[in-house]
Short mmCIF file of all heavy atoms in Angstrom, two decimals:
data_model
loop_
_atom_site.label_atom_id
_atom_site.label_comp_id
_atom_site.label_asym_id
_atom_site.label_seq_id
_atom_site.Cartn_x
_atom_site.Cartn_y
_atom_site.Cartn_z
N MET W 20 3.09 -6.13 11.34
CA MET W 20 2.47 -6.27 10.02
C MET W 20 3.47 -6.91 9.06
O MET W 20 4.54 -6.40 8.82
CB MET W 20 2.06 -4.88 9.51
CG MET W 20 1.29 -4.93 8.20
SD MET W 20 -0.42 -5.41 8.46
CE MET W 20 -0.98 -5.51 6.78
N GLU W 21 3.08 -8.05 8.53
CA GLU W 21 3.93 -8.77 7.59
C GLU W 21 3.50 -8.46 6.17
O GLU W 21 2.37 -8.06 5.93
CB GLU W 21 3.80 -10.28 7.82
CG GLU W 21 4.24 -10.74 9.20
CD GLU W 21 5.72 -11.03 9.25
OE1 GLU W 21 6.22 -11.67 8.30
OE2 GLU W 21 6.38 -10.60 10.20
N GLY W 22 4.37 -8.70 5.25
CA GLY W 22 3.99 -8.56 3.86
C GLY W 22 4.94 -7.65 3.10
O GLY W 22 5.81 -7.00 3.67
N LYS W 23 4.75 -7.63 1.80
CA LYS W 23 5.54 -6.77 0.93
C LYS W 23 4.66 -5.65 0.43
O LYS W 23 3.43 -5.73 0.45
CB LYS W 23 6.06 -7.58 -0.24
CG LYS W 23 7.04 -8.66 0.15
CD LYS W 23 7.40 -9.48 -1.07
CE LYS W 23 8.27 -10.66 -0.67
NZ LYS W 23 8.43 -11.58 -1.80
N VAL W 24 5.34 -4.63 -0.05
CA VAL W 24 4.60 -3.46 -0.53
C VAL W 24 4.99 -3.17 -1.98
O VAL W 24 6.17 -3.23 -2.34
CB VAL W 24 4.94 -2.24 0.36
CG1 VAL W 24 4.50 -0.94 -0.27
CG2 VAL W 24 4.28 -2.41 1.73
N CYS W 25 4.00 -2.91 -2.79
CA CYS W 25 4.26 -2.50 -4.17
C CYS W 25 4.83 -1.09 -4.16
O CYS W 25 4.24 -0.19 -3.57
CB CYS W 25 2.96 -2.54 -4.97
SG CYS W 25 3.15 -1.85 -6.61
N LYS W 26 5.95 -0.90 -4.84
CA LYS W 26 6.58 0.42 -4.82
C LYS W 26 5.78 1.45 -5.59
O LYS W 26 5.91 2.64 -5.34
CB LYS W 26 7.99 0.33 -5.40
CG LYS W 26 8.98 -0.33 -4.46
CD LYS W 26 10.37 -0.18 -5.00
CE LYS W 26 11.34 -1.03 -4.24
NZ LYS W 26 12.68 -0.99 -4.85
N SER W 27 5.01 1.03 -6.55
CA SER W 27 4.28 2.05 -7.29
C SER W 27 2.92 2.40 -6.70
O SER W 27 2.54 3.55 -6.70
CB SER W 27 4.19 1.70 -8.77
OG SER W 27 3.81 0.37 -8.95
N CYS W 28 2.18 1.43 -6.16
CA CYS W 28 0.88 1.83 -5.59
C CYS W 28 0.80 1.68 -4.08
O CYS W 28 -0.23 2.00 -3.51
CB CYS W 28 -0.28 1.16 -6.31
SG CYS W 28 -0.08 -0.54 -6.75
N ARG W 29 1.84 1.20 -3.41
CA ARG W 29 1.92 1.18 -1.95
C ARG W 29 1.01 0.15 -1.28
O ARG W 29 0.91 0.13 -0.05
CB ARG W 29 1.58 2.56 -1.33
CG ARG W 29 2.59 3.63 -1.62
CD ARG W 29 2.04 4.97 -1.19
NE ARG W 29 2.99 6.03 -1.47
CZ ARG W 29 3.89 6.46 -0.58
NH1 ARG W 29 3.94 5.97 0.62
NH2 ARG W 29 4.74 7.40 -0.92
N ILE W 30 0.33 -0.64 -2.05
CA ILE W 30 -0.56 -1.61 -1.42
C ILE W 30 0.26 -2.70 -0.73
O ILE W 30 1.32 -3.10 -1.22
CB ILE W 30 -1.54 -2.22 -2.46
CG1 ILE W 30 -2.64 -3.01 -1.76
CG2 ILE W 30 -0.82 -3.07 -3.50
CD1 ILE W 30 -3.79 -3.38 -2.68
N VAL W 31 -0.21 -3.14 0.44
CA VAL W 31 0.46 -4.21 1.18
C VAL W 31 -0.04 -5.55 0.66
O VAL W 31 -1.25 -5.79 0.59
CB VAL W 31 0.20 -4.08 2.69
CG1 VAL W 31 0.84 -5.25 3.45
CG2 VAL W 31 0.74 -2.77 3.22
N ILE W 32 0.89 -6.41 0.26
CA ILE W 32 0.58 -7.69 -0.33
C ILE W 32 0.99 -8.79 0.64
O ILE W 32 2.16 -8.93 0.96
CB ILE W 32 1.33 -7.85 -1.67
CG1 ILE W 32 0.94 -6.71 -2.62
CG2 ILE W 32 1.05 -9.20 -2.30
CD1 ILE W 32 1.99 -6.42 -3.66
N ALA W 33 0.01 -9.54 1.12
CA ALA W 33 0.29 -10.57 2.12
C ALA W 33 0.89 -11.82 1.49
O ALA W 33 1.74 -12.48 2.07
CB ALA W 33 -0.99 -10.92 2.87
N HIS W 34 0.44 -12.17 0.30
CA HIS W 34 0.90 -13.39 -0.36
C HIS W 34 1.25 -13.09 -1.81
O HIS W 34 0.61 -12.25 -2.44
CB HIS W 34 -0.19 -14.47 -0.34
CG HIS W 34 -0.66 -14.79 1.05
ND1 HIS W 34 0.11 -15.50 1.95
CD2 HIS W 34 -1.79 -14.46 1.70
CE1 HIS W 34 -0.56 -15.61 3.09
NE2 HIS W 34 -1.71 -14.99 2.97
N GLY W 35 2.24 -13.80 -2.30
CA GLY W 35 2.57 -13.69 -3.71
C GLY W 35 3.67 -12.68 -3.99
O GLY W 35 4.11 -11.95 -3.11
N ASP W 36 4.12 -12.66 -5.22
CA ASP W 36 5.24 -11.83 -5.63
C ASP W 36 4.83 -10.77 -6.63
O ASP W 36 5.67 -10.17 -7.28
CB ASP W 36 6.33 -12.70 -6.26
CG ASP W 36 6.87 -13.70 -5.25
OD1 ASP W 36 7.09 -13.31 -4.09
OD2 ASP W 36 7.04 -14.87 -5.62
N LYS W 37 3.56 -10.57 -6.77
CA LYS W 37 3.08 -9.63 -7.78
C LYS W 37 2.00 -8.74 -7.18
O LYS W 37 1.18 -9.18 -6.39
CB LYS W 37 2.48 -10.43 -8.94
CG LYS W 37 3.12 -10.14 -10.27
CD LYS W 37 2.47 -11.00 -11.33
CE LYS W 37 2.70 -10.41 -12.71
NZ LYS W 37 1.93 -11.13 -13.72
N CYS W 38 2.00 -7.50 -7.60
CA CYS W 38 0.98 -6.58 -7.13
C CYS W 38 -0.37 -6.89 -7.79
O CYS W 38 -0.44 -6.97 -9.01
CB CYS W 38 1.41 -5.15 -7.46
SG CYS W 38 0.13 -3.96 -7.08
N PRO W 39 -1.42 -7.07 -6.99
CA PRO W 39 -2.73 -7.38 -7.57
C PRO W 39 -3.37 -6.18 -8.28
O PRO W 39 -4.30 -6.35 -9.05
CB PRO W 39 -3.57 -7.80 -6.35
CG PRO W 39 -2.90 -7.14 -5.19
CD PRO W 39 -1.44 -7.04 -5.53
N LEU W 40 -2.86 -5.01 -8.01
CA LEU W 40 -3.43 -3.80 -8.60
C LEU W 40 -2.81 -3.46 -9.94
O LEU W 40 -3.49 -3.31 -10.94
CB LEU W 40 -3.23 -2.60 -7.67
CG LEU W 40 -4.19 -2.41 -6.52
CD1 LEU W 40 -3.92 -1.06 -5.89
CD2 LEU W 40 -5.60 -2.49 -6.99
N CYS W 41 -1.48 -3.31 -9.95
CA CYS W 41 -0.82 -2.84 -11.18
C CYS W 41 -0.03 -3.95 -11.85
O CYS W 41 0.49 -3.76 -12.95
CB CYS W 41 0.07 -1.63 -10.88
SG CYS W 41 1.48 -2.02 -9.85
N GLY W 42 0.09 -5.12 -11.22
CA GLY W 42 0.80 -6.22 -11.83
C GLY W 42 2.31 -6.13 -11.72
O GLY W 42 3.03 -6.97 -12.23
N SER W 43 2.80 -5.10 -11.01
CA SER W 43 4.24 -4.92 -10.87
C SER W 43 4.85 -5.98 -9.97
O SER W 43 4.23 -6.43 -9.01
CB SER W 43 4.51 -3.53 -10.28
OG SER W 43 5.87 -3.43 -9.92
N ALA W 44 6.07 -6.39 -10.29
CA ALA W 44 6.80 -7.31 -9.43
C ALA W 44 7.85 -6.56 -8.62
O ALA W 44 8.69 -7.16 -7.96
CB ALA W 44 7.44 -8.41 -10.26
N ASP W 45 7.79 -5.25 -8.66
CA ASP W 45 8.75 -4.41 -7.95
C ASP W 45 8.25 -4.17 -6.53
O ASP W 45 7.65 -3.14 -6.23
CB ASP W 45 8.93 -3.09 -8.71
CG ASP W 45 10.16 -2.34 -8.23
OD1 ASP W 45 10.97 -2.92 -7.48
OD2 ASP W 45 10.29 -1.16 -8.60
N LEU W 46 8.49 -5.17 -5.67
CA LEU W 46 7.98 -5.11 -4.30
C LEU W 46 9.13 -4.93 -3.32
O LEU W 46 10.26 -5.27 -3.62
CB LEU W 46 7.22 -6.40 -3.98
CG LEU W 46 6.21 -6.89 -5.01
CD1 LEU W 46 5.60 -8.20 -4.55
CD2 LEU W 46 5.15 -5.86 -5.28
N THR W 47 8.81 -4.41 -2.14
CA THR W 47 9.82 -4.26 -1.12
C THR W 47 9.27 -4.70 0.22
O THR W 47 8.07 -4.60 0.47
CB THR W 47 10.32 -2.80 -1.03
OG1 THR W 47 11.29 -2.73 0.00
CG2 THR W 47 9.18 -1.83 -0.72
N ASN W 48 10.15 -5.21 1.08
CA ASN W 48 9.71 -5.47 2.45
C ASN W 48 10.28 -4.44 3.41
O ASN W 48 10.15 -4.56 4.61
CB ASN W 48 10.03 -6.91 2.89
CG ASN W 48 11.49 -7.26 2.65
OD1 ASN W 48 12.33 -6.39 2.48
ND2 ASN W 48 11.78 -8.55 2.64
N LYS W 49 10.92 -3.41 2.85
CA LYS W 49 11.45 -2.33 3.69
C LYS W 49 10.47 -1.18 3.73
O LYS W 49 10.57 -0.22 2.99
CB LYS W 49 12.80 -1.88 3.14
CG LYS W 49 13.85 -2.96 3.27
CD LYS W 49 15.22 -2.38 3.01
CE LYS W 49 16.28 -3.44 3.28
NZ LYS W 49 17.10 -3.72 2.12
N TRP W 50 9.51 -1.33 4.61
CA TRP W 50 8.51 -0.28 4.73
C TRP W 50 8.08 -0.21 6.18
O TRP W 50 8.29 -1.12 6.97
CB TRP W 50 7.33 -0.56 3.82
CG TRP W 50 6.66 -1.87 4.07
CD1 TRP W 50 7.06 -3.10 3.60
CD2 TRP W 50 5.51 -2.12 4.88
NE1 TRP W 50 6.21 -4.07 4.06
CE2 TRP W 50 5.24 -3.50 4.85
CE3 TRP W 50 4.66 -1.29 5.61
CZ2 TRP W 50 4.18 -4.07 5.54
CZ3 TRP W 50 3.60 -1.86 6.30
CH2 TRP W 50 3.37 -3.23 6.25
N SER W 51 7.48 0.90 6.54
CA SER W 51 6.95 1.03 7.90
C SER W 51 5.73 1.93 7.87
O SER W 51 5.55 2.71 6.94
CB SER W 51 8.01 1.61 8.83
OG SER W 51 8.37 2.89 8.41
N ASN W 52 4.94 1.80 8.86
CA ASN W 52 3.69 2.55 9.00
C ASN W 52 2.71 2.18 7.89
O ASN W 52 3.06 2.19 6.73
CB ASN W 52 3.91 4.07 8.95
CG ASN W 52 4.87 4.54 10.00
OD1 ASN W 52 4.95 3.97 11.07
ND2 ASN W 52 5.62 5.56 9.68
N TYR W 53 1.55 1.83 8.29
CA TYR W 53 0.56 1.51 7.28
C TYR W 53 -0.79 2.07 7.69
O TYR W 53 -1.02 2.41 8.85
CB TYR W 53 0.47 0.01 7.04
CG TYR W 53 -0.05 -0.78 8.22
CD1 TYR W 53 -1.40 -1.11 8.32
CD2 TYR W 53 0.81 -1.20 9.23
CE1 TYR W 53 -1.88 -1.83 9.41
CE2 TYR W 53 0.35 -1.92 10.30
CZ TYR W 53 -0.99 -2.23 10.40
OH TYR W 53 -1.47 -2.94 11.47
N THR W 54 -1.64 2.19 6.73
CA THR W 54 -2.99 2.65 6.99
C THR W 54 -3.97 1.69 6.34
O THR W 54 -3.71 1.19 5.24
CB THR W 54 -3.19 4.08 6.47
OG1 THR W 54 -4.52 4.49 6.78
CG2 THR W 54 -2.97 4.20 4.98
N ILE W 55 -5.03 1.42 7.04
CA ILE W 55 -6.09 0.60 6.45
C ILE W 55 -7.15 1.55 5.92
O ILE W 55 -7.80 2.27 6.67
CB ILE W 55 -6.67 -0.39 7.48
CG1 ILE W 55 -5.56 -1.34 7.94
CG2 ILE W 55 -7.83 -1.17 6.87
CD1 ILE W 55 -5.94 -2.18 9.14
N MET W 56 -7.24 1.58 4.61
CA MET W 56 -8.15 2.51 3.97
C MET W 56 -9.54 1.90 3.86
O MET W 56 -9.73 0.86 3.24
CB MET W 56 -7.58 2.81 2.57
CG MET W 56 -8.08 4.09 1.99
SD MET W 56 -7.73 5.51 3.03
CE MET W 56 -5.96 5.63 2.84
N LEU W 57 -10.49 2.53 4.52
CA LEU W 57 -11.85 2.01 4.51
C LEU W 57 -12.80 2.91 3.72
O LEU W 57 -13.90 2.52 3.38
CB LEU W 57 -12.39 1.89 5.95
CG LEU W 57 -11.63 0.91 6.84
CD1 LEU W 57 -12.16 0.97 8.26
CD2 LEU W 57 -11.73 -0.51 6.32
N ASN W 58 -12.33 4.10 3.44
CA ASN W 58 -13.20 5.09 2.81
C ASN W 58 -12.38 5.93 1.83
O ASN W 58 -12.31 7.14 1.92
CB ASN W 58 -13.79 5.99 3.90
CG ASN W 58 -15.27 6.21 3.68
OD1 ASN W 58 -15.74 6.17 2.55
ND2 ASN W 58 -15.98 6.45 4.75
N ALA W 59 -11.73 5.22 0.91
CA ALA W 59 -10.73 5.86 0.05
C ALA W 59 -11.28 7.05 -0.72
O ALA W 59 -10.58 8.05 -0.90
CB ALA W 59 -10.16 4.83 -0.93
N GLU W 60 -12.51 6.97 -1.14
CA GLU W 60 -13.03 8.07 -1.97
C GLU W 60 -13.30 9.34 -1.17
O GLU W 60 -13.39 10.42 -1.72
CB GLU W 60 -14.25 7.62 -2.78
CG GLU W 60 -15.47 7.12 -2.01
CD GLU W 60 -15.33 5.70 -1.47
OE1 GLU W 60 -14.35 5.00 -1.79
OE2 GLU W 60 -16.21 5.29 -0.70
N LYS W 61 -13.34 9.21 0.17
CA LYS W 61 -13.61 10.40 0.99
C LYS W 61 -12.40 10.86 1.81
O LYS W 61 -12.47 11.87 2.49
CB LYS W 61 -14.78 10.13 1.94
CG LYS W 61 -16.09 10.06 1.21
CD LYS W 61 -17.23 9.79 2.17
CE LYS W 61 -18.53 9.66 1.41
NZ LYS W 61 -19.61 9.15 2.26
N SER W 62 -11.32 10.09 1.77
CA SER W 62 -10.19 10.37 2.64
C SER W 62 -9.19 11.33 2.01
O SER W 62 -8.79 11.17 0.86
CB SER W 62 -9.50 9.05 2.98
OG SER W 62 -8.19 9.29 3.46
N ASP W 63 -8.77 12.33 2.79
CA ASP W 63 -7.74 13.26 2.32
C ASP W 63 -6.39 12.57 2.18
O ASP W 63 -5.64 12.84 1.25
CB ASP W 63 -7.60 14.44 3.29
CG ASP W 63 -8.78 15.39 3.19
OD1 ASP W 63 -9.46 15.37 2.14
OD2 ASP W 63 -9.03 16.12 4.15
N LEU W 64 -6.11 11.65 3.12
CA LEU W 64 -4.85 10.92 3.05
C LEU W 64 -4.80 10.06 1.78
O LEU W 64 -3.78 9.99 1.10
CB LEU W 64 -4.69 10.03 4.29
CG LEU W 64 -3.42 9.19 4.34
CD1 LEU W 64 -2.18 10.08 4.44
CD2 LEU W 64 -3.45 8.22 5.51
N ALA W 65 -5.91 9.45 1.45
CA ALA W 65 -5.98 8.64 0.23
C ALA W 65 -5.69 9.49 -0.99
O ALA W 65 -4.96 9.08 -1.89
CB ALA W 65 -7.35 7.98 0.11
N LYS W 66 -6.25 10.68 -1.02
CA LYS W 66 -5.99 11.59 -2.15
C LYS W 66 -4.51 11.93 -2.24
O LYS W 66 -3.92 11.94 -3.31
CB LYS W 66 -6.79 12.87 -1.98
CG LYS W 66 -8.21 12.72 -2.48
CD LYS W 66 -8.97 14.03 -2.35
CE LYS W 66 -10.46 13.77 -2.32
NZ LYS W 66 -11.18 14.76 -1.52
N LYS W 67 -3.93 12.20 -1.08
CA LYS W 67 -2.52 12.56 -1.02
C LYS W 67 -1.64 11.43 -1.53
O LYS W 67 -0.65 11.65 -2.23
CB LYS W 67 -2.17 12.88 0.44
CG LYS W 67 -1.02 13.84 0.62
CD LYS W 67 -0.90 14.20 2.09
CE LYS W 67 0.55 14.15 2.52
NZ LYS W 67 0.70 14.18 3.98
N LEU W 68 -2.01 10.19 -1.19
CA LEU W 68 -1.20 9.04 -1.58
C LEU W 68 -1.61 8.47 -2.93
O LEU W 68 -1.02 7.53 -3.43
CB LEU W 68 -1.31 7.94 -0.50
CG LEU W 68 -0.77 8.29 0.89
CD1 LEU W 68 -1.02 7.15 1.85
CD2 LEU W 68 0.70 8.62 0.85
N GLY W 69 -2.68 9.01 -3.50
CA GLY W 69 -3.13 8.51 -4.79
C GLY W 69 -3.85 7.17 -4.70
O GLY W 69 -3.84 6.38 -5.63
N ILE W 70 -4.51 6.92 -3.56
CA ILE W 70 -5.18 5.65 -3.32
C ILE W 70 -6.64 5.74 -3.74
O ILE W 70 -7.33 6.69 -3.38
CB ILE W 70 -5.06 5.27 -1.83
CG1 ILE W 70 -3.61 4.95 -1.49
CG2 ILE W 70 -5.98 4.10 -1.49
CD1 ILE W 70 -3.33 4.88 -0.01
N LYS W 71 -7.09 4.75 -4.48
CA LYS W 71 -8.47 4.79 -4.96
C LYS W 71 -9.31 3.60 -4.50
O LYS W 71 -10.50 3.56 -4.72
CB LYS W 71 -8.49 4.84 -6.49
CG LYS W 71 -7.88 6.12 -7.03
CD LYS W 71 -8.07 6.21 -8.54
CE LYS W 71 -7.50 7.50 -9.10
NZ LYS W 71 -6.05 7.48 -9.23
N ILE W 72 -8.69 2.63 -3.89
CA ILE W 72 -9.46 1.46 -3.43
C ILE W 72 -9.27 1.25 -1.93
O ILE W 72 -8.32 1.76 -1.34
CB ILE W 72 -9.06 0.17 -4.17
CG1 ILE W 72 -7.60 -0.18 -3.89
CG2 ILE W 72 -9.31 0.28 -5.66
CD1 ILE W 72 -7.31 -1.65 -4.00
N ASN W 73 -10.15 0.51 -1.32
CA ASN W 73 -10.06 0.22 0.10
C ASN W 73 -9.22 -1.03 0.33
O ASN W 73 -9.59 -2.11 -0.08
CB ASN W 73 -11.47 0.00 0.67
CG ASN W 73 -12.32 1.25 0.58
OD1 ASN W 73 -11.80 2.36 0.65
ND2 ASN W 73 -13.60 1.08 0.41
N SER W 74 -8.08 -0.83 0.98
CA SER W 74 -7.18 -1.93 1.28
C SER W 74 -6.15 -1.44 2.30
O SER W 74 -6.34 -0.39 2.90
CB SER W 74 -6.49 -2.41 0.00
OG SER W 74 -5.78 -3.61 0.25
N THR W 75 -5.09 -2.18 2.50
CA THR W 75 -4.03 -1.77 3.41
C THR W 75 -2.88 -1.18 2.61
O THR W 75 -2.41 -1.79 1.64
CB THR W 75 -3.53 -2.96 4.25
OG1 THR W 75 -4.64 -3.58 4.87
CG2 THR W 75 -2.56 -2.51 5.31
N PHE W 76 -2.42 0.01 3.01
CA PHE W 76 -1.37 0.69 2.25
C PHE W 76 -0.24 1.12 3.17
O PHE W 76 -0.49 1.57 4.30
CB PHE W 76 -1.93 1.91 1.54
CG PHE W 76 -2.88 1.56 0.44
CD1 PHE W 76 -4.22 1.40 0.70
CD2 PHE W 76 -2.42 1.35 -0.85
CE1 PHE W 76 -5.12 1.05 -0.32
CE2 PHE W 76 -3.29 0.99 -1.86
CZ PHE W 76 -4.64 0.84 -1.59
N ALA W 77 0.98 1.04 2.67
CA ALA W 77 2.13 1.52 3.42
C ALA W 77 2.21 3.04 3.31
O ALA W 77 1.93 3.61 2.26
CB ALA W 77 3.40 0.90 2.86
N ILE W 78 2.61 3.68 4.39
CA ILE W 78 2.80 5.13 4.37
C ILE W 78 4.25 5.44 4.01
O ILE W 78 4.52 6.33 3.23
CB ILE W 78 2.48 5.73 5.76
CG1 ILE W 78 1.11 5.27 6.21
CG2 ILE W 78 2.64 7.25 5.74
CD1 ILE W 78 0.06 6.30 6.36
N THR W 79 5.16 4.70 4.63
CA THR W 79 6.58 4.97 4.43
C THR W 79 7.26 3.79 3.75
O THR W 79 7.19 2.67 4.26
CB THR W 79 7.27 5.23 5.79
OG1 THR W 79 6.52 6.17 6.51
CG2 THR W 79 8.68 5.74 5.58
N ILE W 80 7.87 4.04 2.61
CA ILE W 80 8.65 3.01 1.91
C ILE W 80 10.11 3.42 1.97
O ILE W 80 10.48 4.53 1.59
CB ILE W 80 8.17 2.86 0.45
CG1 ILE W 80 6.74 2.32 0.44
CG2 ILE W 80 9.10 1.92 -0.31
CD1 ILE W 80 6.14 2.25 -0.96
N LYS W 81 10.94 2.51 2.50
CA LYS W 81 12.34 2.87 2.74
C LYS W 81 13.24 2.56 1.56
O LYS W 81 14.33 3.12 1.45
CB LYS W 81 12.86 2.13 3.97
CG LYS W 81 12.24 2.63 5.26
CD LYS W 81 12.61 1.70 6.41
CE LYS W 81 11.90 2.16 7.68
NZ LYS W 81 11.96 1.10 8.71
N ALA W 82 12.86 1.63 0.73
CA ALA W 82 13.72 1.28 -0.40
C ALA W 82 12.87 0.84 -1.58
O ALA W 82 11.72 0.49 -1.41
CB ALA W 82 14.68 0.16 -0.02
ZN1 LIG H 11 1.18 -1.96 -7.61
#
């Protein structure tokens, strides 16, 4: 899985230097494990991670 991850909302960003969700430029490529959220409003993991939209999110951010 390629891409950068927004440190504040964990979304995986394939292109660009800015988070499409929160507009943050604080991205990292040091992450591992990801989940593809298809049912964010019903998922316990989504609640735990604070995810509200369906997209790809990193589980572990290393830096
Ligand atoms: Zn963000």
Side-chain angles (χ1 to χ4, degrees):
M20 185 78 185
E21 298 272 316
K23 294 175 186 170
V24 166
C25 172
K26 286 189 191 174
S27 46
C28 41
R29 293 170 180 267
I30 191 168
V31 177
I32 302 155
H34 303 287
D36 298 317
K37 238 179 159 187
C38 174
L40 278 189
C41 67
S43 170
D45 194 11
L46 313 178
T47 179
N48 51 18
K49 293 193 174 121
W50 58 278
S51 62
N52 303 328
Y53 66 95
T54 181
I55 298 169
M56 201 58 70
L57 297 175
N58 225 331
E60 59 283 352
K61 288 180 183 169
S62 162
D63 287 338
L64 179 65
K66 277 182 202 149
K67 207 173 135 193
L68 297 177
I70 292 167
K71 295 187 178 78
I72 63 153
N73 297 328
S74 189
T75 307
F76 292 89
I78 308 245
T79 310
I80 294 175
K81 290 170 184 165

